[in-house]
């Protein structure tokens, strides 16, 4: 793995570790695109139901979410799949956000953020307080990942994804074009005593393991991209 890749992942993981408590997930509509950003909280399902009852949504865009409440992630994902909605990702979408993303009937990376900064991260369940892994919750998570990816997610990788030894172990999927020369982009990051050891997994990419269904980078409307700009 080259130095630029280590620097990118190092920055992502450091930001996650140092970030303050995230605010509740925000729902914003632009045209027929619903942008969901921020932490997955326990009330987001109710807000999503209310929003869908009063708005026509044709795309759910997950934008810069560190994850959050696992149960809500399951329920929001199920609602999105029941509605037959596609999903796209802009920036970082980890943990419960990654499960919501997988629920899309079609799934794409978007141009809302540079491809180097856009990723879907999946990991095992853990206690928010003690940060201890909760392997008893892993079978349901494994079933959801396997089902939502049409059983393309490799069994060995699935076990390592959901049965983690450390709460911070995570598997990232980047768009294959991020590493165009090799056509790869699935990275496993395992927590060491202090730092992370990140390894590119040979022969695997986001399309092949079913994380995305669309090989093309989705071009978002300009008004949506304007909404995604960081506030000054």
């Amino acid at each position: 793995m080259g130095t630029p890749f280590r620097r990118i992942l190092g920055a992502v993981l450091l930001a996650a570790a140092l970030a303050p408590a995230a605010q509740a997930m925000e729902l914003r509509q632009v045209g027929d695109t619903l942008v969901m950003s921020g932490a997955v909280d326990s009330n987001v399902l109710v807000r999503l139901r209310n929003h869908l009852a009063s708005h026509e949504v044709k795309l759910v865009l997950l934008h810069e979410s560190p994850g959050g409440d696992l149960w809500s992630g399951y329920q929001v994902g199920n609602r999105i799949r029941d509605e037959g909605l596609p999903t796209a990702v802009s920036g970082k979408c980890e943990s419960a956000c990654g499960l919501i993303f997988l629920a899309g009937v079609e799934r794409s990376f978007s141009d809302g953020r540079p491809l180097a900064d856009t990723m879907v991260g999946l990991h095992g369940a853990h206690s928010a307080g003690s940060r201890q892994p909760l392997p008893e919750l892993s079978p349901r998570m494994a079933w959801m990942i396997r089902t939502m990816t049409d059983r393309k997610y490799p069994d060995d990788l699935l076990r390592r994804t959901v049965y983690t030894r450390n709460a911070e172990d995570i598997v990232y999927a980047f768009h294959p074009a991020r590493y165009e020369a090799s056509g790869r982009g699935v990275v496993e990051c395992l927590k060491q005593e202090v730092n992370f050891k990140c390894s590119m997994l040979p022969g695997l990419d986001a399309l092949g393991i079913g994380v995305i269904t669309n090989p093309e980078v989705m071009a978002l409307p300009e008004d949506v991209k304007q909404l995604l700009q960081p506030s000054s």
Side-chain angles (χ1 to χ4, degrees):
M1 197 181 328
T3 300
F5 173 77
R6 287 198 297 269
R7 186 165 56 247
I8 291 167
L9 258 294
V12 168
L13 294 167
L14 180 62
L18 298 180
Q23 296 179 349
M25 179 162 266
E26 188 174 7
L27 277 61
R28 295 174 290 177
Q29 180 106 4
V30 180
D32 54 16
T33 298
L34 173 60
V35 180
M36 302 179 67
S37 57
V40 180
D41 62 282
S42 59
N43 297 318
V44 66
L45 177 61
V46 173
R47 300 201 308 276
L48 176 63
R49 286 174 176 168
N50 292 338
H51 189 92
L52 292 175
S54 58
H55 295 78
E56 181 181 11
V57 175
K58 294 185 178 179
L59 173 69
V60 176
L61 177 65
L62 283 309
H63 173 68
E64 296 293 359
S65 172
D69 186 81
L70 177 60
W71 183 89
S72 293
Y74 285 145
Q75 301 306 313
V76 169
N78 289 336
R79 183 58 185 260
I80 287 173
R81 179 58 65 101
D82 289 343
E83 294 284 339
L85 293 170
T87 55
V89 62
S90 164
K92 183 173 60 177
C93 176
E94 294 181 333
S95 189
C97 176
L99 297 176
I100 294 172
F101 174 77
L102 290 182
V105 293
E106 296 176 357
R107 299 178 295 280
S108 308
F109 281 85
S110 79
D111 63 353
R113 285 284 185 271
L115 286 184
D117 302 327
T118 300
M119 65 203 81
V120 175
L122 299 170
H123 64 74
H126 61 265
S127 167
S130 68
R131 305 290 292 173
Q132 292 299 308
L134 299 174
E136 63 271 21
L137 301 183
S138 296
R140 179 177 180 179
M141 183 180 294
W143 177 86
M144 184 171 185
I145 294 173
R146 184 182 293 114
T147 300
M148 296 300 185
T149 60
D150 295 325
R151 298 185 175 273
K152 293 180 180 180
Y153 205 92
D155 289 341
D156 178 62
L157 180 61
L158 184 63
R159 285 191 293 271
R160 301 206 308 271
T161 300
V162 302
Y163 289 100
T164 52
R165 290 180 297 176
N166 190 292
E168 296 175 89
D169 294 347
I170 191 166
V171 173
Y172 285 109
F174 292 83
H175 191 276
R178 170 67 179 86
Y179 302 96
E180 195 167 1
S182 61
R184 298 178 296 177
V186 178
V187 179
E188 183 178 36
C189 290
L190 303 177
K191 181 69 180 295
Q192 308 300 299
E193 288 188 9
V194 177
N195 298 316
F196 286 84
K197 179 180 179 181
C198 295
S199 304
M200 186 84 74
L201 302 181
L204 300 181
D205 61 63
L207 183 65
I209 67 174
V211 170
I212 57 173
T213 62
N214 178 19
E216 304 298 326
V217 177
M218 178 181 289
L220 296 173
E222 287 302 318
D223 53 355
V224 174
K225 287 198 282 189
Q226 185 65 34
L227 179 68
L228 305 181
Q229 295 302 313
S231 56
S232 57

